[in-house]
Amino acid sequence: MDAGTVMDIDILRRSAKEAGRLMKALSNPDRLLLMCQLAQGELRVGELEEIVGIVQPTLSQQLSVLREDGLVSTRREGTAIYYRIDSEQALAVMAVLYEQFCDQSKRKKK
């Protein structure tokens, strides 16, 4: 390997840690469902509850984990709280997951 192409191991470790945190968050089926919906755009908490069928307090707990991991952010409008994905990396991963697992036109019939 050329010395000019060797990557800094410390940078790779930090990147691997960030990637691991994202993958850990997405490994929970409830959080993955929430992220799939949020990848389509911003949604109110009530809309998320209705769409994915996750009820309180589980919904709040899973959204809290996503918020703490820096994957989503919120905004308040009156009494409504809106969630949106706040991570470019998470959006990119969700696009690949959607293409591989959700896009019905690309899924092979079994």
Side-chain angles (χ1 to χ4, degrees), residues 10-73:
D10 291 330
I11 293 171
L12 288 175
R13 282 187 205 284
R14 283 192 299 273
S15 294
K17 188 175 181 177
E18 289 176 35
R21 189 170 41 246
L22 172 61
M23 300 310 290
K24 182 178 179 185
L26 295 179
S27 70
N28 176 284
D30 287 341
R31 290 192 295 264
L32 184 56
L33 279 172
L34 292 167
M35 292 293 285
C36 284
Q37 294 306 312
L38 293 172
Q40 307 304 309
E42 182 180 72
L43 291 167
R44 284 184 296 106
V45 172
E47 291 171 318
L48 284 168
E49 186 174 14
E50 184 179 312
I51 292 168
V52 298
I54 302 170
V55 295
Q56 299 291 344
T58 303
L59 179 63
S60 292
Q61 180 184 25
Q62 300 307 335
L63 288 170
S64 178
V65 170
L66 294 172
R67 214 174 32 250
E68 289 169 10
D69 285 343
L71 302 180
V72 299
S73 60

